[in-house]
């Protein structure tokens, strides 16, 4: 299979470098615009952040937009690249996985992927919300642009966009037949191939699609199994058919498919084995986990978009979508050969969503109103094989089994309208008032089954013996909330937009998918009642109120663009999921683990974002060349005002609720993020062929990052910088291009996630025999050669 893919990729790059020239006419025969880069202002960016197309400068929201061409030119491979260039944003591959996403914006997010927990940052593909994080590390291919919206987006984007939203926008089809072949070869035997094409079938119907195979050997090796660690083996595809039956109609049926058969990802132990004395490995990408089994992810989706222009002012839009995701993961928590907290898990989910929009556009009023419905299920059984002692005497080992089955039924009504007050009141200024709100009803039904077993569960081929049932919970609750938004924007001239805004965000409540009902406290020493168990398992919604003031500007006839935003967020009823070792037999030894999810308290988050793009020089070294600079700086001052948790007195063994806000931090939120990208473009003529040559150098910086609410000298990542460099040559008529991309050129090792089941000093285990203090790392230095042909 890999040999066949490599052969196909080699053929594609061969076409890109040789056959492409033969497939086109002499560029000197083409009539094309003068390619004087020095006379070209920075392009005006069009976005759909407010569910209508408009200039980014006109939108009173802090946002970043990257075009597909920009992402291709710097060699970006998936959306985790965005954390390098988007201020106050964290997008990482979740611990122990290859395609599950952890997303935080401005200190708000969620890193636990288990069914029952909701994301804090909404991920969208063409306005279709992805309800689960599995398979959400979206590979970048055949994309038109990606928009990152910071701050609560509940009015227009609904539930679970309390931190912000990431919009992955694919290209609409063109009016002419076209085909693109893009291939890449790189470090660690990277072998990527993407083929896309489109063609009209008639004046009103067009079809198109893209397929990609993305492959790479591991950055390291599992020294126990011999398998590659951090490898990549992905196949992805998209297809669409577009129908325009008349001037007033547009209909698009689209589908996508994703398959990931990459190996299980093993963590790097940061402490020696507490039982075996196994030393810490030198290579952070090597691991020693002995867990066998395969990882597998298959995700697919269908969407139907219909737009109808009722008249020049009103447009009706319908978005119907279905998505399905099947995900099997093997995670060796202790990263050692023995069976000690070895986890096999299944994440299966499906969702149906329907959205109706009614958009209004006029000189003085613009807006949208609509209805949204989501019906989703997330099913997640997982085995936690805790000890191997039973296996040593020929008996099956102890297994802490959990099965979570969560149904979500959510509906909402929303509206958001902008009013041109200057036109309404005959004012000599451009003053826009935007008012919006969304009412959401969110019903969660959850079944949580926890059992201590001998042997693997039936989901992983076993026929276990049930030792004890520690949870058998079945409950539901409905959470309703109205989330408003108001903004006032003043444009003293067409190139300046000063705005203030207030918005609310809401993330639905639920039931702890790892909770142990047998640990629920009763009253006066009595066994807990059903109501007390319900409240023990339940956690409430969380909320954020964000106040923002910003200024977006264009200077020097569009050669300089700047965006500055200051924000203040009041974050309340924060959901903090966690797991602890639990003793269910009373012998003082943790024989399972328990979920501990609380609405811990409140936090204050404030900071700013500054972004700019500028043409620094023209005709600097050669006629028609240009030097440009893009910068981004983000600052977040985030801290808990209240964090209520149970604290045990070591002398008496009694527990009491205490406020430990001064001992907790906001996770996955560095105080400073920064990015600078310096670019040099020049027109060149090589071998009788006109083209453009670009050199793109980039620096990215992230200050210290805490992986969890409890600081850890082992897991927390100190500040670090990444350096990238790209060389891109594109033929003048865009027929083909060649790029050479170097990423993380200083080969910096940096942690992106981890597990901790050990005391803070790493000398004692809180679950399992060996102690768990493992980290997962971002990619090392890589170099990639890319070739593309456009037919």
């Amino acid at each position: 299979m890999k040999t066949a893919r490599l052969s196909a990729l080699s053929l594609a790059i061969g076409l890109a470098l040789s056959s492409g020239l033969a497939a086109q006419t002499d560029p000197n025969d083409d009539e094309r615009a003068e390619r004087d880069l020095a006379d070209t202002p920075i392009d005006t960016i069009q976005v759909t952040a407010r569910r209508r197309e408009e200039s980014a400068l006109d939108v009173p929201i802090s946002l970043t937009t990257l075009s597909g061409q920009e992402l291709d030119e710097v060699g970006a491979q998936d959306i985790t690249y965005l954390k390098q260039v988007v201020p106050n944003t964290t997008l990482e591959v979740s611990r122990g996985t290859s395609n599950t996403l952890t997303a935080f914006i401005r200190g708000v997010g969620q890193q636990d992927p288990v069914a029952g927990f909701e994301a804090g940052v909404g991920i969208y593909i063409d306005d279709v919300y992805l309800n689960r994080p599995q398979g959400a590390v979206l590979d970048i291919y055949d994309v038109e642009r990606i928009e990152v919206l910071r701050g609560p987006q509940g009015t227009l984007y609904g539930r679970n966009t309390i931190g912000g939203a990431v919009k992955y926008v694919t290209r609409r089809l063109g009016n002419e037949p076209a085909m693109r072949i893009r291939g890449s070869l790189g470090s660690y035997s990277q072998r990527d191939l993407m083929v896309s094409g489109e063609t009209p079938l008639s004046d009103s119907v067009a079809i198109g699609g893209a397929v990609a195979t993305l492959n790479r050997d591991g950055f390291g090796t599992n020294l126990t199994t011999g398998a590659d660690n951090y490898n990549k083996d992905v196949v992805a595809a998209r297809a669409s058919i577009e129908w325009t039956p008349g001037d007033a109609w547009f209909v698009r049926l689209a589908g996508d498919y994703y398959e990931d058969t990459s190996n299980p990802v093993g963590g790097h132990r940061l402490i020696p084995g507490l039982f075996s004395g196994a030393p810490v490995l030198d290579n952070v990408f090597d691991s020693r986990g002995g867990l066998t089994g395969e990882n597998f992810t298959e995700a697919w989706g269908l969407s139907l978009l219909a737009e109808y222009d009722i008249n020049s002012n009103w447009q009706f839009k319908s978005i119907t979508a279905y998505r399905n995701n099947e995900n099997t993961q093997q995670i060796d928590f202790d990263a050692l050969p023995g069976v000690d907290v070895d986890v096999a898990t299944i994440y299966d989910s499906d969702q149906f969503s329907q959205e109706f929009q009614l958009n209004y556009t006029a000189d003085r009023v613009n807006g949208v109103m609509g209805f949204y419905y989501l019906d989703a299920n997330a099913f997640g059984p997982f085995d936690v094989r805790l000890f191997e002692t039973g296996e040593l005497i020929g008996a099956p080992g102890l297994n802490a089994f959990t099965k979570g089955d969560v149904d979500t039924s959510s509906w909402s009504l929303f509206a958001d309208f902008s009013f041109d007050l200057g036109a309404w009141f005959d004012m000599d200024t451009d003053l826009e008032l935007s008012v919006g709100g969304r009412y959401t009803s969110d019903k969660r039904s959850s079944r949580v089954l926890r059992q201590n077993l001998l042997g693997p569960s039936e989901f992983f081929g076993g026929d276990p013996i049930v030792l004890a049932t520690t949870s058998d919970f079945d409950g539901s609750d409905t959470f309703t909330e109205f989330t408003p938004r108001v903004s006032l924007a003043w444009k003293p001239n067409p190139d300046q937009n000063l705005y203030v805004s207030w918005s609310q965000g809401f993330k639905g409540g639920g039931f702890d998918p790892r909770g142990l009902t047998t640990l629920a406290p009763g009253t006066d020493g009595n066994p807990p009642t059903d109501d007390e168990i319900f409240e023990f398992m339940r956690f409430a919604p969380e909320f954020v109120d964000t106040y923002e003031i910003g200024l977006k500007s264009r200077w020097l006839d569009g050669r300089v663009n700047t965006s500055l935003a200051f924000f203040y967020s009041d974050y309340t009823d924060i959901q903090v999921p966690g797991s602890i070792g639990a003793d269910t037999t009373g012998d003082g030894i943790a024989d399972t683990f328990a979920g501990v999810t609380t609405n811990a308290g409140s936090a204050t988050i404030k900071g700013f974002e500054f972004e700019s793009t500028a043409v620094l020089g023209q005709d600097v070294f050669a006629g028609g060349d240009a030097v440009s600079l893009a910068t981004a700086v983000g600052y977040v001052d985030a801290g808990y005002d209240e964090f209520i948790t149970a604290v045990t007195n070591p002398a008496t063994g009694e527990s009491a609720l205490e406020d430990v806000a001064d001992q907790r931090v906001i996770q996955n939120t560095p105080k400073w993020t920064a990015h600078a990208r310096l670019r040099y473009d020049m027109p060149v003529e090589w071998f009788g062929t006109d083209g453009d040559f670009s050199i793109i150098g980039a620096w990215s910086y992230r200050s210290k990052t805490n992986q969890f609410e409890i600081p850890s000298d082992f897991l927390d990542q100190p500040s670090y910088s990444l350096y990238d460099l790209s060389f891109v040559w594109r033929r003048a008529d865009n027929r083909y291009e060649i790029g050479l991309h170097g990423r993380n050129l200083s080969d910096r090792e940096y942690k992106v996630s981890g597990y901790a089941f050990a005391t803070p000093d790493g000398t004692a285990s809180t679950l399992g025999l060996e102690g768990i203090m493992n980290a997962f790392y971002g990619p090392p230095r890589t170099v990639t050669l890319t070739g593309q042909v456009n037919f």
Side-chain angles (χ1 to χ4, degrees):
M1 176 65 74
K2 290 187 176 180
T3 302
R5 288 176 175 172
L6 180 58
S7 300
L9 181 61
S10 301
L11 176 61
I13 293 183
L15 286 170
L17 300 180
S18 57
S19 302
L21 284 171
Q24 52 193 305
T25 59
D26 187 341
N28 296 322
D29 295 337
D30 295 335
E31 293 184 4
R32 50 187 171 83
E34 182 68 27
R35 293 182 303 107
D36 190 349
L37 301 175
D39 292 338
T40 304
I42 298 169
D43 291 337
T44 300
I45 300 173
Q46 298 296 115
V47 298
T48 56
R50 293 197 289 182
R51 296 297 182 100
R52 59 181 183 265
E53 188 168 302
E54 55 189 332
S55 165
L57 184 142
D58 295 330
V59 181
I61 297 171
S62 180
L63 63 87
T64 301
T65 301
L66 296 169
S67 70
Q69 180 173 322
E70 286 181 85
L71 295 166
D72 283 344
E73 288 176 341
V74 297
Q77 297 182 15
D78 59 55
I79 65 171
T80 62
Y81 167 78
L82 299 180
K83 74 176 184 292
Q84 293 185 221
V85 297
V86 180
N88 294 337
T89 298
T90 297
L91 297 174
E92 303 284 12
V93 180
S94 296
R95 52 197 180 184
T97 75
S98 58
N99 57 56
T100 300
L101 184 68
T102 294
F104 281 75
I105 296 178
R106 290 181 175 177
V108 181
Q110 172 63 263
Q111 77 161 303
D112 200 319
V114 175
F117 295 127
E118 299 293 305
V121 174
I123 309 297
Y124 295 80
I125 299 179
D126 292 331
D127 284 333
V128 175
Y129 172 64
L130 304 186
N131 191 53
R132 301 303 306 155
Q134 286 79 25
V137 179
L138 303 176
D139 291 295
I140 295 173
Y141 71 99
D142 204 39
V143 61
E144 179 181 295
R145 69 181 184 277
I146 297 178
E147 301 175 16
V148 181
L149 286 58
R150 292 180 288 272
Q153 305 298 322
T155 299
L156 287 175
Y157 292 93
R159 62 195 299 274
N160 305 335
T161 56
I162 188 171
V166 179
K167 298 183 60 178
Y168 187 102
V169 183
T170 64
R171 296 185 312 104
R172 287 196 175 184
L173 304 179
N175 298 320
E176 300 291 336
M179 184 175 180
R180 292 168 293 280
I181 300 176
R182 185 178 182 88
S184 299
L185 294 173
S187 305
Y188 302 96
S189 300
Q190 178 187 351
R191 310 168 302 280
D192 297 343
L193 174 64
M194 191 277 289
V195 180
S196 65
E198 59 199 66
T199 185
L201 299 181
S202 68
D203 291 339
S204 61
V205 179
I207 61 171
V211 61
T213 173
L214 311 170
N215 308 273
R216 183 193 66 234
D217 291 349
F219 299 142
T221 303
N222 184 313
L223 302 180
T224 300
T225 66
D228 282 352
N229 202 27
Y230 292 89
N231 74 319
K232 185 171 186 176
D233 195 348
V234 168
V235 174
R238 295 193 197 100
S240 64
I241 179 169
E242 296 180 357
W243 178 40
T244 311
D247 293 339
W249 277 97
F250 175 81
V251 180
R252 184 192 200 196
L253 177 64
D256 62 88
Y257 178 81
Y258 174 88
E259 181 184 282
D260 184 358
T261 55
S262 306
N263 294 337
V265 182
H268 172 70
R269 286 189 64 88
L270 302 173
I271 59 175
L274 301 182
F275 180 75
S276 65
V280 175
L281 297 175
D282 293 331
N283 186 348
V284 299
F285 296 105
D286 285 346
S287 190
R288 285 179 296 208
L291 182 62
T292 58
E294 296 181 350
N295 280 10
F296 177 75
T297 299
E298 183 179 54
W300 59 273
L302 294 171
S303 65
L304 177 64
L305 167 68
E307 297 176 345
Y308 174 63
D309 295 327
I310 301 170
N311 54 42
S312 60
N313 300 116
W314 291 96
Q315 183 195 65
F316 171 77
K317 179 184 288 189
S318 170
I319 305 171
T320 308
Y322 176 80
R323 300 199 63 83
N324 183 278
N325 189 308
E326 297 180 6
N327 185 295
T328 301
Q329 297 284 335
Q330 316 289 331
I331 306 174
D332 195 317
F333 273 57
D334 74 331
L336 288 172
V339 177
D340 184 29
V341 197
D342 290 1
V343 176
T345 182
I346 293 172
Y347 300 108
D348 285 351
S349 64
D350 63 272
Q351 66 177 80
F352 169 80
S353 61
Q354 175 63 60
E355 182 167 0
F356 296 116
Q357 297 178 20
L358 196 57
N359 293 273
Y360 180 77
T361 303
D363 292 337
R364 298 184 178 185
V365 180
N366 293 277
V368 60
M369 65 182 91
F371 170 81
Y372 178 80
Y373 174 75
L374 174 73
D375 183 28
N377 174 264
F379 178 73
F382 56 96
D383 286 4
V384 181
R385 297 170 64 196
L386 290 171
F387 306 121
E388 64 177 1
T389 52
E391 295 178 349
L392 294 176
I393 60 174
L398 181 63
N399 174 15
F401 170 72
T402 299
K403 181 174 71 173
D405 194 353
V406 181
D407 289 319
T408 299
S409 179
S410 179
W411 64 268
S412 58
L413 294 169
F414 62 91
D416 188 271
F417 279 84
S418 302
F419 304 90
D420 187 345
L421 300 184
W424 277 100
F425 297 104
D426 271 339
M427 301 165 63
D428 261 348
T429 188
D430 189 345
L431 189 64
E432 179 192 81
L433 174 67
S434 294
V435 180
R438 190 182 195 106
Y439 177 83
T440 301
S441 175
D442 206 14
K443 182 179 180 181
R444 307 295 301 282
S445 301
S446 183
R447 172 75 192 282
V448 179
L449 177 65
R450 297 288 310 275
Q451 293 177 318
N452 291 342
L453 309 178
L454 285 179
S457 71
E458 60 181 301
F459 297 96
F460 298 97
D463 184 16
I465 299 171
V466 179
L467 298 178
T469 297
T470 54
S471 282
D472 191 356
F473 176 81
D474 193 350
S476 66
D477 203 354
T478 300
F479 308 93
T480 61
E481 191 63 30
F482 177 73
T483 50
R485 178 185 178 276
V486 179
S487 69
L488 185 65
W490 174 51
K491 295 184 69 175
N493 60 63
D495 292 329
Q496 311 288 326
N497 186 7
L498 175 66
Y499 69 90
V500 293
S501 68
W502 165 66
S503 57
Q504 283 189 340
F506 153 74
K507 185 167 80 170
F511 302 93
D512 195 320
R514 301 191 189 94
L516 288 179
T517 56
T518 50
L519 296 184
T523 304
D524 297 328
N526 296 315
T529 65
D530 289 344
D531 288 344
E532 288 171 331
I533 291 175
F534 182 88
E535 290 301 323
F536 175 77
M537 296 289 288
R538 178 185 181 273
F539 55 88
E542 64 179 27
F543 306 90
V544 68
D545 284 73
T546 295
Y547 306 86
E548 183 171 311
I549 180 170
L551 175 63
K552 298 185 177 186
S553 305
R554 285 169 57 88
W555 312 90
L556 302 176
D557 296 324
R559 287 175 172 78
V560 178
N561 290 342
T562 61
S563 176
L564 176 64
F566 294 90
F567 62 90
Y568 178 93
S569 296
D570 184 17
Y571 192 15
T572 57
D573 293 329
I574 303 171
Q575 299 168 2
V576 181
S579 296
I580 61 172
D583 173 19
T584 62
T585 62
D587 60 3
I589 300 175
D591 52 28
T592 186
F593 66 98
V596 180
T597 300
T598 59
N599 294 91
S602 61
T604 298
I605 304 174
K606 53 185 181 290
F608 71 85
E609 291 114 11
F610 174 77
E611 296 178 281
S612 70
T613 53
V615 177
L616 299 182
Q618 305 169 357
D619 300 323
V620 180
F621 302 108
D625 71 355
V627 179
S628 59
L629 176 68
T631 63
V633 178
Y635 172 78
V636 175
D637 181 9
Y640 282 102
D641 303 316
E642 182 182 66
F643 195 111
I644 305 299
T645 189
V647 177
T648 301
N649 185 324
T652 65
E654 296 180 352
S655 295
L657 294 179
E658 292 185 14
D659 185 356
V660 295
D662 60 341
Q663 304 170 36
R664 299 294 186 265
V665 294
I666 303 293
Q667 62 164 283
N668 283 290
T669 304
K671 186 177 289 289
W672 288 98
T673 54
H675 177 75
R677 185 170 69 250
L678 184 64
R679 176 176 181 138
Y680 176 69
D681 296 286
M682 64 177 295
V684 296
E685 181 180 345
W686 288 343
F687 306 109
T689 301
D690 288 339
D692 298 320
F693 180 67
S694 302
I695 303 174
I696 308 168
W699 164 76
S700 301
Y701 172 81
R702 296 173 71 84
S703 63
K704 181 179 179 179
T705 304
N706 299 101
Q707 303 295 347
F708 299 102
E709 283 77 17
I710 300 177
S712 168
D713 291 337
F714 290 101
L715 281 178
D716 294 341
Q717 172 60 45
S719 61
Y720 67 96
S721 294
L722 297 179
Y723 301 91
D724 300 337
L725 182 62
S726 292
F727 302 93
V728 180
W729 180 70
R730 178 179 290 107
R731 183 163 163 157
D733 57 4
N734 290 323
R735 185 59 63 91
Y736 64 89
E737 71 174 59
I738 301 171
L740 182 64
H741 310 284
R743 302 287 308 279
N744 188 9
L745 292 177
S746 63
D747 204 21
R748 180 60 190 262
E749 295 175 354
Y750 59 99
K751 307 180 190 79
V752 297
S753 59
Y755 290 107
F757 288 96
T759 54
D761 60 3
T763 60
S765 175
T766 59
L767 180 64
L769 299 175
E770 298 282 8
I772 297 168
M773 194 70 74
N774 298 343
F776 299 86
Y777 289 77
R781 177 174 52 232
T782 60
V783 178
T784 301
L785 175 66
T786 299
Q788 178 168 319
V789 182
N790 301 313
F791 297 97

